[in-house]
Amino acid sequence: MRRTTVVRVGLSALLLLGTLATSGVAPAAAEDATAAASKLSPGLVSAMQRDLGLTRNQAEARLAAEKTATAVENKARHASGSSYGGSWFDARSGKLTVAVTRHAAADAVRTTGATVRLVKYSAKQLDAAKARIDALTAPRGVSGWHVDSRANRVVVNVVTTQRRDNDVQAFLARAGQAGPVTVEETATAPQTFSAGTVGGDPYYTGNVRCSIGFSVYGGFVTAGHCGQPSAAVYGWDRSYIGNFQGSSFPGNDYAWVNVGSGWWTVPVVLGWGTVPDQLVRGSAEAPVGASICRSGSTSHWHCGTVLAKNETVNYSQGSVYELTKTSVCAEPGDSGGSFISGDQAQGVTSGGWGNCGSGGETWYQPVNEILNRYGLTLHTA
């Protein structure tokens, strides 16, 4: 069975660890809950039960609520105008919460079905503060920073053991001058999830094993740290697939590989026997707080939630910008693999900390940014 699964991976040219909807792709409209539940993969629901601690009914209800929230988010953002302060999905209420800076915008936002919270700073102000921090050079003890819409501040994460380091203190002092900033500690610095060669897994370049992300017409997208432009790519059986046609890392962490030589693409993410293989139907961006699942060649299928967007992650190789942070675990070899929410492609795995035994956090590069950068079209069902 293992061999059959891996062959499927190669032929699909899709798998393991995306954001704004691509042209022609729009959030699916809300549908009858009973009909929607009947379309859900039993394996997907089981994975959410396992990783998020939900009952079957809770998992099904959450997926339906998240689908509605995704459709509401764009309307609410438009309704709030310059007052927009960010948004997130609240799993307890099952609704999207939208932050606004002015009372005048609150009623218009409520008409979209969103809950409103009044805040001091707009998303534009917070993004500007983050951009000023992006211009700084971060020491290794600083693991990253992102806009936290719920806190209405820019959160800078530092490794606990490095908090008192002189370079870290100097960086935090400069960051504090950029705008509304708060500091949080993390136990471990993030790292990428590529791995040395291991037989029988999705693709190889040089002595590195990574995971396929999503099929595009003519190839697949994956992580940039997995290979340089023109590097040859080989499948599970060491047969030639194609070459890296574009790659960027650090700064970004995305790449795409052309597919040929008897390989082809299909709009599927591998379920690894944990769930049925998942069809990809679009790339509508899930909100912060939504559930999300990841497929990878090492740790296979795991789920969690979206924790933050537009985060700058400070790897040892350099900073990577505009990543999305999740509570999903990952391990070496999962780099490049698929992040998917329902049937919507979200992004390709970049890096993180921890593992799937003790837990951790993982970041992905949004898929729509990759599609736009290289002029690619997502292969959808």
Side-chain angles (χ1 to χ4, degrees):
M1 292 299 293
R2 168 78 169 165
R3 183 177 180 82
T4 301
T5 298
V6 176
V7 171
R8 192 178 199 168
V9 174
L11 297 179
S12 301
L14 39 93
L15 298 240
L16 302 220
L17 292 138
T19 267
L20 295 173
T22 55
S23 177
V25 177
E31 57 187 319
D32 179 78
T34 302
S38 68
K39 296 180 181 179
L40 294 175
S41 157
L44 172 60
V45 173
S46 295
M48 291 181 65
Q49 289 179 252
R50 178 197 65 195
D51 292 337
L52 298 178
L54 305 175
T55 66
R56 180 178 183 81
N57 287 341
Q58 287 172 333
E60 291 176 348
R62 177 161 178 166
L63 286 169
E66 288 172 355
K67 188 173 184 179
T68 300
T70 298
V72 166
E73 188 170 33
N74 285 338
K75 297 177 183 178
R77 182 166 189 159
H78 179 75
S80 58
S82 61
S83 177
Y84 181 71
S87 58
W88 58 94
F89 176 75
D90 184 344
R92 288 191 175 186
S93 68
K95 291 187 176 182
L96 185 77
T97 299
V98 177
V100 296
T101 59
R102 297 192 305 273
H103 284 278
D107 288 341
V109 172
R110 289 191 184 98
T111 64
T112 68
T115 300
V116 176
R117 178 183 296 179
L118 289 170
V119 295
K120 182 176 182 180
Y121 302 103
S122 69
K124 185 176 181 180
Q125 290 174 307
L126 294 174
D127 288 342
K130 179 183 176 293
R132 287 189 281 272
I133 301 175
D134 284 344
L136 304 176
T137 299
R140 249 338 256 136
V142 177
S143 62
W145 50 95
H146 67 276
V147 170
D148 186 333
S149 298
R150 281 172 285 200
N152 199 225
R153 303 183 73 81
V154 178
V155 175
V156 178
N157 292 106
V158 300
V159 179
T160 301
T161 57
Q162 300 295 312
R163 178 69 183 265
R164 301 304 174 191
D165 177 82
N166 289 339
D167 291 337
V168 170
Q169 288 294 304
F171 178 88
L172 294 178
R174 293 193 297 273
Q177 298 171 1
V181 170
T182 189
V183 179
E184 294 183 1
E185 295 184 0
T186 182
T188 310
Q191 60 183 1
T192 57
F193 283 125
S194 58
T197 299
V198 177
D201 282 292
Y203 83 84
Y204 307 88
T205 178
N207 66 343
V208 171
R209 170 173 59 84
C210 280
S211 299
I212 297 167
F214 293 97
S215 288
V216 296
Y217 287 99
F220 65 83
V221 294
T222 188
H225 70 263
C226 291
Q228 296 296 312
S230 78
V233 174
Y234 300 88
W236 68 271
D237 59 353
R238 299 295 181 171
S239 66
Y240 173 71
I241 297 177
N243 296 76
F244 278 86
Q245 299 298 302
S247 179
S248 178
F249 179 79
N252 306 294
D253 195 5
Y254 51 59
W256 83 280
V257 175
N258 69 313
V259 168
S261 303
W263 294 68
W264 63 89
T265 68
V266 292
V268 175
V269 170
L270 194 68
W272 290 101
T274 301
V275 302
D277 296 349
Q278 302 291 300
L279 288 175
V280 177
R281 300 188 184 278
S283 57
E285 181 183 2
V288 169
S291 62
I292 192 167
C293 298
R294 180 192 55 73
S295 179
S297 61
T298 299
S299 58
H300 299 173
W301 187 273
H302 288 274
C303 300
T305 58
V306 178
L307 299 178
K309 297 182 181 181
N310 190 23
E311 178 151 4
T312 299
V313 177
N314 189 34
Y315 295 125
S316 60
Q317 301 94 329
S319 292
V320 176
Y321 307 98
E322 299 181 16
L323 296 181
T324 297
K325 181 181 183 179
T326 77
S327 64
V328 187
C329 66
E331 296 180 359
D334 287 331
S335 277
S338 323
F339 265 96
I340 188 167
S341 181
D343 57 10
Q344 300 295 303
Q346 299 297 309
V348 301
T349 301
S350 174
W353 61 267
N355 56 56
C356 291
S358 59
E361 295 175 333
T362 304
W363 286 263
Y364 66 79
Q365 182 87 61
V367 71
N368 287 320
E369 181 181 356
I370 310 173
L371 300 177
N372 292 335
R373 168 64 180 83
Y374 294 119
L376 301 169
T377 300
L378 186 69
H379 192 166
T380 57

